[in-house]
Amino acid sequence: MYTLSDRGERELALRYDLTIPFAKVVAMNPSLKMPFKRYEIGKVFRDGPIKTGRFREFTQCDVDIVGVDSQIAEAELMVMALDAFRKLELKVMIQYNNRKLLTGMLNVFGTEDEKINKVVLILDKLEKVGIESVTSELNDQGLPSATITLIKQFLMDEGNSSFSYFEAFAEKNEEVRQGLNELKELESYLEYLAVEKQCVFNPFLARGLEIYTGTVYEIFLADLSIKSSIGSGGRYDNAIGGLIGTNEEFSTVGISFGLDVIYTAMNSTVKEVKENPYVDYYIVPIGTKKESLLIANYLRNKGYKVEFEMSNKKLGKALDKANKEKIRNVVIIGEDEVRNNQFKIKDMFSGDERTEAYSFN
């Protein structure tokens, strides 16, 4: 939680996410018809360090599904995310894993149960800090040297990105077996929907929150121009039961997008220059206001959207405005143009100029 004290010295906390409030709603309304789907957009707050892509206050966009055991729910949310980012013209990739697979592997390697969650969080940093830093943090946890050696071998094994790597471990550990089966089911849907090239298995992806119980995923820009994820989620089957004080499982899976980091990504991504959809021609008079107004009417009568510069901007300032606002065609009308019964059109994208005849008499 992001905690604070107000002027009345009351201890307060700001909303951390939209997931737990959603789980509370489901827990308090057992008559909801399943499967139940919802989306929500709202403000949330984070404690911790702030950097590019990570904000103290931001707008979260959540989508959740309750009441579906199958990995088809995960597949639907992942494909929805790909569809959304395609419409935003952002190229993304989704990394996915399964918490059962990861925690099961740590059990096989001899990690003590009470240290599993801490070790999972350390492994989640692998791509950010590297193998040596991860190994150092594992040592700090007081793990047996044999366990650390096995974990390090797992991290460095070139075959760990293949499901077949885990088959032998699945025979020894039930969690590994369940996680592997769920991943295979998910992969079958992704392949059938032809999105498997955009969805990549990452055996060390963990997601920081202990709430997750199965498949987890994070969305990244394909060019990694922003290192932080721009969306994430996973399955959290124990949250609703925990809120009502039972061990009952409610099959729940969700995905969330940070609107602010997406906006940052869109601004930092180089895109093809697009024309201003609201202005076809921008008319700049140079001592020729009446004549320029005549040309504005002429072009409007032909069905064009025209902006007429009325504030006596100098030509350089007017061209800067056109560039900034992505206006393609600038009409320049000076005394020479009026005298020669023509007006000049400058294409701001190509730099070309052309003239068009018009009788000012």
Side-chain angles (χ1 to χ4, degrees):
M1 289 290 185
Y2 186 87
T3 57
L4 67 154
S5 299
D6 70 359
R7 291 181 180 178
E9 298 184 355
R10 292 174 296 182
E11 295 299 316
L12 307 175
L14 296 174
R15 181 167 64 179
Y16 180 77
D17 68 6
L18 305 179
T19 302
I20 295 303
F22 165 70
K24 286 181 180 178
V25 169
V26 178
M28 295 170 66
N29 292 275
S31 61
L32 283 173
K33 186 178 179 180
M34 299 295 175
F36 178 68
K37 300 180 179 182
R38 84 87 165 80
Y39 74 88
E40 181 182 1
I41 300 174
K43 286 279 188 184
V44 296
F45 301 83
R46 287 282 190 271
D47 203 346
I50 302 304
K51 61 179 182 179
T52 302
R54 287 188 66 86
F55 302 92
R56 178 77 66 223
E57 172 187 353
F58 58 100
T59 301
Q60 194 79 4
C61 311
D62 275 24
V63 185
D64 292 86
I65 302 172
V66 186
V68 179
D69 294 332
S70 167
Q71 294 287 300
I72 202 166
E74 281 88 339
E76 183 173 45
L77 293 182
M78 291 166 75
V79 170
M80 179 206 67
L82 294 176
D83 288 344
F85 286 111
R86 183 175 65 252
K87 289 181 179 180
L88 294 175
E89 299 182 22
L90 289 174
K91 293 183 178 179
V92 300
M93 60 173 292
I94 300 179
Q95 294 185 12
Y96 66 94
N97 192 20
N98 192 288
R99 285 288 284 263
K100 294 175 186 174
L101 183 81
L102 188 55
T103 57
M105 291 294 290
L106 293 175
N107 272 318
V108 171
F109 298 148
T111 310
E112 299 165 55
D113 289 343
E114 62 272 18
K115 295 182 179 179
I116 288 274
N117 284 325
K118 184 64 179 178
V119 173
V120 163
L121 297 183
I122 293 171
L123 298 188
D124 198 40
K125 303 177 186 177
L126 180 63
E127 290 188 4
K128 296 176 184 176
V129 302
I131 186 71
E132 295 307 321
S133 293
V134 165
T135 304
S136 175
E137 287 195 46
L138 292 175
N139 276 311
D140 292 342
Q141 294 302 309
L143 297 176
S145 58
T147 297
I148 294 175
T149 298
L150 290 170
I151 292 174
K152 190 172 181 180
Q153 287 175 354
F154 171 48
L155 299 179
M156 298 179 67
D157 197 309
E158 293 181 359
N160 60 27
S161 60
S162 169
F163 291 161
S164 60
Y165 175 87
F166 299 92
E167 295 287 358
F169 297 100
E171 296 176 4
K172 305 174 185 177
N173 184 277
E174 178 61 17
E175 271 198 301
V176 174
R177 188 187 67 79
Q178 289 181 10
L180 185 58
N181 287 341
E182 289 175 7
L183 286 169
K184 287 179 178 179
E185 182 191 353
L186 175 60
E187 185 186 51
S188 71
Y189 296 127
L190 299 176
E191 288 180 346
Y192 189 74
L193 296 168
V195 295
E196 74 279 5
K197 290 184 179 179
Q198 292 174 271
C199 302
V200 180
F201 170 56
N202 177 350
F204 314 119
L205 181 71
R207 300 284 296 120
L209 301 175
E210 295 180 17
I211 187 175
Y212 293 111
T213 58
T215 298
V216 291
Y217 33 77
E218 291 194 348
I219 307 165
F220 296 92
L221 288 178
D223 63 4
L224 296 178
S225 56
I226 293 179
K227 301 298 182 185
S228 301
S229 64
I230 58 175
S232 58
R235 182 168 286 269
Y236 53 104
D237 288 351
N238 296 335
I240 296 171
L243 289 168
I244 58 179
T246 71
N247 293 322
E248 185 180 358
E249 287 192 359
F250 290 77
S251 298
T252 315
V253 61
I255 194 167
S256 64
F257 311 97
L259 192 62
D260 303 79
V261 70
I262 291 172
Y263 182 72
T264 300
M266 292 176 70
N267 281 344
S268 65
T269 302
V270 177
K271 291 191 174 82
E272 178 185 354
V273 177
K274 293 186 176 181
E275 293 184 41
N276 187 321
Y278 306 108
V279 181
D280 296 318
Y281 289 93
Y282 173 41
I283 298 181
V284 182
I286 304 176
T288 58
K289 280 191 175 180
K290 288 183 179 179
E291 294 84 354
S292 296
L293 187 58
L294 192 64
I295 294 298
N297 283 343
Y298 164 72
L299 292 173
R300 285 170 180 150
N301 287 334
K302 294 181 77 170
Y304 294 113
K305 292 167 282 189
V306 178
E307 180 175 346
F308 176 51
E309 179 55 60
M310 298 182 178
S311 60
N312 295 320
K313 276 189 173 66
K314 291 185 177 179
L315 181 59
K317 292 284 187 182
L319 295 179
D320 286 344
K321 168 187 166 75
N323 275 324
K324 184 177 180 181
E325 297 183 11
K326 305 295 187 293
I327 301 172
R328 181 162 198 157
N329 298 302
V330 176
V331 177
I332 303 169
I333 304 174
E335 293 178 356
D336 287 345
E337 282 74 25
V338 172
R339 190 180 306 114
N340 295 322
N341 286 316
Q342 63 185 26
F343 57 89
K344 186 187 300 179
I345 303 171
K346 182 176 179 64
D347 187 323
M348 299 301 293
F349 290 4
S350 67
D352 296 336
E353 292 186 0
R354 68 184 191 275
T355 57
E356 187 170 322
Y358 181 84
S359 176
F360 290 95
N361 301 321

